[in-house]
Amino acid sequence: MRLSVVTALVCAVLLFGAETLASGPVYGVQSCTKPRIRPTLIILTCGDAGSIIQDIEWRRWGGSIAVGTGEYSEKTCVPDCATGGRRFHHATVWLGDIGRCSGQGSKRFYRQAKVSGVRFSFTRQCPV
């Protein structure tokens, strides 16, 4: 009897914790520091603003994956990154990996981004 009560209690705690993480709004990070629902600008490389997607229009938001389209740009670094220009293209952005970010309390964030036409993913999209 005791074992089943303890088992039921553990299951209830685990289910409550999972529900808490799975409910409520999901944020993106606008301009590296501002939590926003459906941000219109995401600086994907906050250290140097080398990769940006702006004028984002979201088709899907709040589920396990967010999908939007916008204008992607990245530094060309020609002749160098400080003075070089930018390369632009219309792109689709996918956000995923919902979880919490340090220093943001119970807010949930999309913590990973992938942009069409870019070979790598942008990870740890948490406010800095």
Side-chain angles (χ1 to χ4, degrees):
M1 178 68 173
R2 273 190 201 175
L3 184 57
S4 61
V5 170
V6 170
T7 302
L9 183 60
V10 168
C11 288
V13 168
L14 289 174
L15 287 173
F16 177 77
E19 179 59 32
T20 300
L21 184 61
S23 64
V26 183
Y27 294 83
V29 182
Q30 181 150 325
S31 303
C32 298
T33 60
K34 301 173 186 142
R36 294 282 189 262
I37 296 172
R38 298 179 180 260
T40 57
L41 164 75
I42 299 174
I43 299 174
L44 298 160
T45 52
C46 290
D48 65 355
S51 301
I52 298 170
I53 188 159
Q54 59 192 10
D55 302 326
I56 305 169
E57 294 183 13
W58 296 100
R59 293 189 306 246
R60 183 187 298 168
W61 187 272
S64 61
I65 296 175
V67 180
T69 56
E71 189 71 24
Y72 174 80
S73 69
E74 62 189 5
K75 290 182 177 182
T76 62
C77 292
V78 176
D80 57 66
C81 292
T83 62
R86 297 188 74 82
R87 171 179 23 245
F88 294 84
H89 73 271
H90 189 75
T92 299
V93 60
W94 296 269
L95 302 179
D97 185 29
I98 295 174
R100 293 198 171 94
C101 292
S102 177
Q104 298 297 314
S106 63
K107 288 182 180 166
R108 299 179 316 136
F109 289 84
Y110 289 111
R111 299 179 301 176
Q112 186 170 13
K114 177 73 179 136
V115 178
S116 62
V118 179
R119 292 183 187 204
F120 54 89
S121 294
F122 301 94
T123 58
R124 295 305 297 166
Q125 296 293 306
C126 286
V128 291

